[in-house]
PDB file of all heavy atoms in Angstrom:
ATOM      1  N   TYR T  37      87.485  99.792 102.578  1.00  0.00           N
ATOM      2  CA  TYR T  37      86.310  98.974 102.293  1.00  0.00           C
ATOM      3  C   TYR T  37      85.098  99.885 102.151  1.00  0.00           C
ATOM      4  O   TYR T  37      84.944 100.863 102.878  1.00  0.00           O
ATOM      5  CB  TYR T  37      86.093  97.946 103.412  1.00  0.00           C
ATOM      6  CG  TYR T  37      87.264  97.017 103.549  1.00  0.00           C
ATOM      7  CD1 TYR T  37      88.349  97.344 104.351  1.00  0.00           C
ATOM      8  CD2 TYR T  37      87.302  95.826 102.844  1.00  0.00           C
ATOM      9  CE1 TYR T  37      89.437  96.504 104.458  1.00  0.00           C
ATOM     10  CE2 TYR T  37      88.393  94.975 102.938  1.00  0.00           C
ATOM     11  CZ  TYR T  37      89.456  95.326 103.740  1.00  0.00           C
ATOM     12  OH  TYR T  37      90.537  94.493 103.832  1.00  0.00           O
ATOM     13  N   TYR T  41      74.236  99.995 103.085  1.00  0.00           N
ATOM     14  CA  TYR T  41      73.247  99.520 104.043  1.00  0.00           C
ATOM     15  C   TYR T  41      71.889 100.079 103.655  1.00  0.00           C
ATOM     16  O   TYR T  41      71.776 101.175 103.107  1.00  0.00           O
ATOM     17  CB  TYR T  41      73.582  99.995 105.467  1.00  0.00           C
ATOM     18  CG  TYR T  41      74.648  99.192 106.162  1.00  0.00           C
ATOM     19  CD1 TYR T  41      75.999  99.449 105.922  1.00  0.00           C
ATOM     20  CD2 TYR T  41      74.317  98.188 107.069  1.00  0.00           C
ATOM     21  CE1 TYR T  41      76.978  98.713 106.565  1.00  0.00           C
ATOM     22  CE2 TYR T  41      75.300  97.455 107.717  1.00  0.00           C
ATOM     23  CZ  TYR T  41      76.623  97.722 107.460  1.00  0.00           C
ATOM     24  OH  TYR T  41      77.597  96.994 108.104  1.00  0.00           O
ATOM     25  N   GLN T  43      68.039 101.059 105.192  1.00  0.00           N
ATOM     26  CA  GLN T  43      67.263 101.313 106.389  1.00  0.00           C
ATOM     27  C   GLN T  43      65.796 101.449 105.995  1.00  0.00           C
ATOM     28  O   GLN T  43      65.347 102.506 105.571  1.00  0.00           O
ATOM     29  CB  GLN T  43      67.733 102.577 107.123  1.00  0.00           C
ATOM     30  CG  GLN T  43      67.039 102.779 108.466  1.00  0.00           C
ATOM     31  CD  GLN T  43      67.572 103.967 109.241  1.00  0.00           C
ATOM     32  OE1 GLN T  43      67.937 104.985 108.650  1.00  0.00           O
ATOM     33  NE2 GLN T  43      67.638 103.844 110.562  1.00  0.00           N
ATOM     34  N   GLY T  47      63.239 100.877 110.567  1.00  0.00           N
ATOM     35  CA  GLY T  47      64.339 101.518 111.282  1.00  0.00           C
ATOM     36  C   GLY T  47      65.650 100.777 111.384  1.00  0.00           C
ATOM     37  O   GLY T  47      66.680 101.389 111.627  1.00  0.00           O
ATOM     38  N   ARG T  54      79.643  94.551 100.748  1.00  0.00           N
ATOM     39  CA  ARG T  54      80.966  95.051 101.123  1.00  0.00           C
ATOM     40  C   ARG T  54      81.878  94.877  99.919  1.00  0.00           C
ATOM     41  O   ARG T  54      81.835  93.863  99.229  1.00  0.00           O
ATOM     42  CB  ARG T  54      81.528  94.255 102.297  1.00  0.00           C
ATOM     43  CG  ARG T  54      82.925  94.645 102.699  1.00  0.00           C
ATOM     44  CD  ARG T  54      83.481  93.734 103.794  1.00  0.00           C
ATOM     45  NE  ARG T  54      83.806  92.410 103.302  1.00  0.00           N
ATOM     46  CZ  ARG T  54      83.162  91.311 103.665  1.00  0.00           C
ATOM     47  NH1 ARG T  54      82.158  91.371 104.513  1.00  0.00           N
ATOM     48  NH2 ARG T  54      83.537  90.147 103.192  1.00  0.00           N
ATOM     49  N   ARG T  99      85.181 102.312 105.305  1.00  0.00           N
ATOM     50  CA  ARG T  99      86.055 101.982 106.419  1.00  0.00           C
ATOM     51  C   ARG T  99      87.493 102.024 105.929  1.00  0.00           C
ATOM     52  O   ARG T  99      87.847 101.340 104.973  1.00  0.00           O
ATOM     53  CB  ARG T  99      85.778 100.590 106.964  1.00  0.00           C
ATOM     54  CG  ARG T  99      86.816 100.152 108.008  1.00  0.00           C
ATOM     55  CD  ARG T  99      86.761  98.671 108.260  1.00  0.00           C
ATOM     56  NE  ARG T  99      85.672  98.347 109.149  1.00  0.00           N
ATOM     57  CZ  ARG T  99      84.942  97.236 109.030  1.00  0.00           C
ATOM     58  NH1 ARG T  99      85.196  96.380 108.075  1.00  0.00           N
ATOM     59  NH2 ARG T  99      83.982  97.000 109.882  1.00  0.00           N
ATOM     60  N   PHE T 101      91.566 101.302 106.508  1.00  0.00           N
ATOM     61  CA  PHE T 101      92.167 100.050 106.953  1.00  0.00           C
ATOM     62  C   PHE T 101      93.158 100.237 108.096  1.00  0.00           C
ATOM     63  O   PHE T 101      93.243  99.400 108.982  1.00  0.00           O
ATOM     64  CB  PHE T 101      92.878  99.370 105.778  1.00  0.00           C
ATOM     65  CG  PHE T 101      93.315  97.969 106.099  1.00  0.00           C
ATOM     66  CD1 PHE T 101      92.390  96.946 106.140  1.00  0.00           C
ATOM     67  CD2 PHE T 101      94.639  97.678 106.361  1.00  0.00           C
ATOM     68  CE1 PHE T 101      92.771  95.653 106.433  1.00  0.00           C
ATOM     69  CE2 PHE T 101      95.028  96.389 106.656  1.00  0.00           C
ATOM     70  CZ  PHE T 101      94.100  95.373 106.687  1.00  0.00           C
ATOM     71  N   GLY T 106      87.381  99.649 113.662  1.00  0.00           N
ATOM     72  CA  GLY T 106      86.558  99.042 112.643  1.00  0.00           C
ATOM     73  C   GLY T 106      85.382  99.906 112.243  1.00  0.00           C
ATOM     74  O   GLY T 106      84.496  99.460 111.520  1.00  0.00           O
ATOM     75  N   LYS T 107      85.405 101.165 112.686  1.00  0.00           N
ATOM     76  CA  LYS T 107      84.219 101.981 112.500  1.00  0.00           C
ATOM     77  C   LYS T 107      83.958 102.285 111.030  1.00  0.00           C
ATOM     78  O   LYS T 107      84.872 102.320 110.210  1.00  0.00           O
ATOM     79  CB  LYS T 107      84.350 103.295 113.270  1.00  0.00           C
ATOM     80  CG  LYS T 107      85.405 104.252 112.729  1.00  0.00           C
ATOM     81  CD  LYS T 107      85.438 105.511 113.559  1.00  0.00           C
ATOM     82  CE  LYS T 107      86.416 106.541 113.001  1.00  0.00           C
ATOM     83  NZ  LYS T 107      87.812 106.096 113.125  1.00  0.00           N
ATOM     84  N   LEU T 108      82.704 102.489 110.712  1.00  0.00           N
ATOM     85  CA  LEU T 108      82.287 102.897 109.383  1.00  0.00           C
ATOM     86  C   LEU T 108      81.939 104.378 109.388  1.00  0.00           C
ATOM     87  O   LEU T 108      81.342 104.877 110.339  1.00  0.00           O
ATOM     88  CB  LEU T 108      81.055 102.111 108.935  1.00  0.00           C
ATOM     89  CG  LEU T 108      81.167 100.593 108.874  1.00  0.00           C
ATOM     90  CD1 LEU T 108      79.867  99.999 108.375  1.00  0.00           C
ATOM     91  CD2 LEU T 108      82.320 100.181 107.988  1.00  0.00           C
TER      92      LEU T 108
ATOM     93  N   TYR P  60      76.448 104.120 117.575  1.00  0.00           N
ATOM     94  CA  TYR P  60      76.185 105.185 116.621  1.00  0.00           C
ATOM     95  C   TYR P  60      74.940 105.963 117.066  1.00  0.00           C
ATOM     96  O   TYR P  60      74.026 105.403 117.657  1.00  0.00           O
ATOM     97  CB  TYR P  60      75.907 104.623 115.224  1.00  0.00           C
ATOM     98  CG  TYR P  60      77.137 104.236 114.447  1.00  0.00           C
ATOM     99  CD1 TYR P  60      77.765 103.013 114.650  1.00  0.00           C
ATOM    100  CD2 TYR P  60      77.676 105.100 113.508  1.00  0.00           C
ATOM    101  CE1 TYR P  60      78.895 102.656 113.922  1.00  0.00           C
ATOM    102  CE2 TYR P  60      78.804 104.756 112.764  1.00  0.00           C
ATOM    103  CZ  TYR P  60      79.408 103.527 112.991  1.00  0.00           C
ATOM    104  OH  TYR P  60      80.524 103.186 112.269  1.00  0.00           O
ATOM    105  N   GLN P  62      71.930 108.377 115.436  1.00  0.00           N
ATOM    106  CA  GLN P  62      71.308 108.836 114.202  1.00  0.00           C
ATOM    107  C   GLN P  62      70.282 109.915 114.520  1.00  0.00           C
ATOM    108  O   GLN P  62      69.288 109.671 115.197  1.00  0.00           O
ATOM    109  CB  GLN P  62      70.629 107.698 113.445  1.00  0.00           C
ATOM    110  CG  GLN P  62      70.069 108.148 112.091  1.00  0.00           C
ATOM    111  CD  GLN P  62      69.420 107.020 111.323  1.00  0.00           C
ATOM    112  OE1 GLN P  62      68.887 106.071 111.891  1.00  0.00           O
ATOM    113  NE2 GLN P  62      69.477 107.093 109.996  1.00  0.00           N
ATOM    114  N   PHE P  70      79.319 108.115 114.315  1.00  0.00           N
ATOM    115  CA  PHE P  70      80.025 107.145 115.135  1.00  0.00           C
ATOM    116  C   PHE P  70      80.335 107.762 116.488  1.00  0.00           C
ATOM    117  O   PHE P  70      80.849 108.879 116.577  1.00  0.00           O
ATOM    118  CB  PHE P  70      81.307 106.718 114.433  1.00  0.00           C
ATOM    119  CG  PHE P  70      82.251 105.942 115.297  1.00  0.00           C
ATOM    120  CD1 PHE P  70      81.960 104.641 115.677  1.00  0.00           C
ATOM    121  CD2 PHE P  70      83.445 106.503 115.722  1.00  0.00           C
ATOM    122  CE1 PHE P  70      82.837 103.920 116.466  1.00  0.00           C
ATOM    123  CE2 PHE P  70      84.328 105.792 116.507  1.00  0.00           C
ATOM    124  CZ  PHE P  70      84.025 104.506 116.878  1.00  0.00           C
ATOM    125  N   GLN P  73      83.837 102.793 119.952  1.00  0.00           N
ATOM    126  CA  GLN P  73      84.003 101.362 119.707  1.00  0.00           C
ATOM    127  C   GLN P  73      84.743 100.730 120.871  1.00  0.00           C
ATOM    128  O   GLN P  73      85.722 101.288 121.385  1.00  0.00           O
ATOM    129  CB  GLN P  73      84.804 101.113 118.423  1.00  0.00           C
ATOM    130  CG  GLN P  73      85.089  99.633 118.157  1.00  0.00           C
ATOM    131  CD  GLN P  73      86.212  99.405 117.162  1.00  0.00           C
ATOM    132  OE1 GLN P  73      86.760 100.343 116.600  1.00  0.00           O
ATOM    133  NE2 GLN P  73      86.553  98.143 116.925  1.00  0.00           N
ATOM    134  N   GLU P 123      89.953  95.311 113.674  1.00  0.00           N
ATOM    135  CA  GLU P 123      90.112  96.066 112.427  1.00  0.00           C
ATOM    136  C   GLU P 123      89.928  95.093 111.272  1.00  0.00           C
ATOM    137  O   GLU P 123      90.717  95.028 110.364  1.00  0.00           O
ATOM    138  CB  GLU P 123      91.511  96.694 112.365  1.00  0.00           C
ATOM    139  CG  GLU P 123      91.717  97.728 113.442  1.00  0.00           C
ATOM    140  CD  GLU P 123      92.984  98.529 113.233  1.00  0.00           C
ATOM    141  OE1 GLU P 123      93.308  98.831 112.083  1.00  0.00           O
ATOM    142  OE2 GLU P 123      93.641  98.830 114.230  1.00  0.00           O
ATOM    143  N   ASN P 124      88.877  94.382 111.329  1.00  0.00           N
ATOM    144  CA  ASN P 124      88.697  93.344 110.322  1.00  0.00           C
ATOM    145  C   ASN P 124      88.042  93.908 109.068  1.00  0.00           C
ATOM    146  O   ASN P 124      87.808  95.094 108.949  1.00  0.00           O
ATOM    147  CB  ASN P 124      87.877  92.183 110.882  1.00  0.00           C
ATOM    148  CG  ASN P 124      86.478  92.626 111.261  1.00  0.00           C
ATOM    149  OD1 ASN P 124      86.011  93.673 110.833  1.00  0.00           O
ATOM    150  ND2 ASN P 124      85.814  91.832 112.055  1.00  0.00           N
ATOM    151  N   THR P 125      87.784  93.029 108.158  1.00  0.00           N
ATOM    152  CA  THR P 125      87.249  93.469 106.879  1.00  0.00           C
ATOM    153  C   THR P 125      85.749  93.275 106.788  1.00  0.00           C
ATOM    154  O   THR P 125      85.146  93.626 105.792  1.00  0.00           O
ATOM    155  CB  THR P 125      87.894  92.672 105.732  1.00  0.00           C
ATOM    156  OG1 THR P 125      87.568  91.280 105.907  1.00  0.00           O
ATOM    157  CG2 THR P 125      89.401  92.830 105.756  1.00  0.00           C
ATOM    158  N   GLY P 126      85.182  92.691 107.817  1.00  0.00           N
ATOM    159  CA  GLY P 126      83.777  92.319 107.720  1.00  0.00           C
ATOM    160  C   GLY P 126      82.822  93.460 107.962  1.00  0.00           C
ATOM    161  O   GLY P 126      83.198  94.552 108.368  1.00  0.00           O
ATOM    162  N   GLU P 127      81.584  93.175 107.713  1.00  0.00           N
ATOM    163  CA  GLU P 127      80.565  94.184 107.903  1.00  0.00           C
ATOM    164  C   GLU P 127      80.205  94.302 109.373  1.00  0.00           C
ATOM    165  O   GLU P 127      80.494  93.421 110.173  1.00  0.00           O
ATOM    166  CB  GLU P 127      79.315  93.827 107.094  1.00  0.00           C
ATOM    167  CG  GLU P 127      78.645  92.531 107.475  1.00  0.00           C
ATOM    168  CD  GLU P 127      79.173  91.353 106.664  1.00  0.00           C
ATOM    169  OE1 GLU P 127      80.355  91.387 106.251  1.00  0.00           O
ATOM    170  OE2 GLU P 127      78.408  90.404 106.468  1.00  0.00           O
ATOM    171  N   LEU P 128      79.569  95.404 109.705  1.00  0.00           N
ATOM    172  CA  LEU P 128      78.999  95.599 111.023  1.00  0.00           C
ATOM    173  C   LEU P 128      77.553  95.132 110.988  1.00  0.00           C
ATOM    174  O   LEU P 128      76.820  95.407 110.034  1.00  0.00           O
ATOM    175  CB  LEU P 128      79.042  97.082 111.421  1.00  0.00           C
ATOM    176  CG  LEU P 128      80.280  97.577 112.145  1.00  0.00           C
ATOM    177  CD1 LEU P 128      81.524  97.369 111.324  1.00  0.00           C
ATOM    178  CD2 LEU P 128      80.121  99.040 112.529  1.00  0.00           C
TER     179      LEU P 128
END
Side-chain angles (χ1 to χ4, degrees):
Chain T
Y37 299 87
Y41 280 82
Q43 186 176 35
R54 176 185 72 247
R99 172 195 280 144
F101 190 76
K107 68 180 184 292
L108 301 182
Chain P
Y60 280 82
Q62 185 179 30
F70 168 71
Q73 176 198 356
E123 295 191 37
N124 63 17
T125 61
E127 62 269 30
L128 270 59

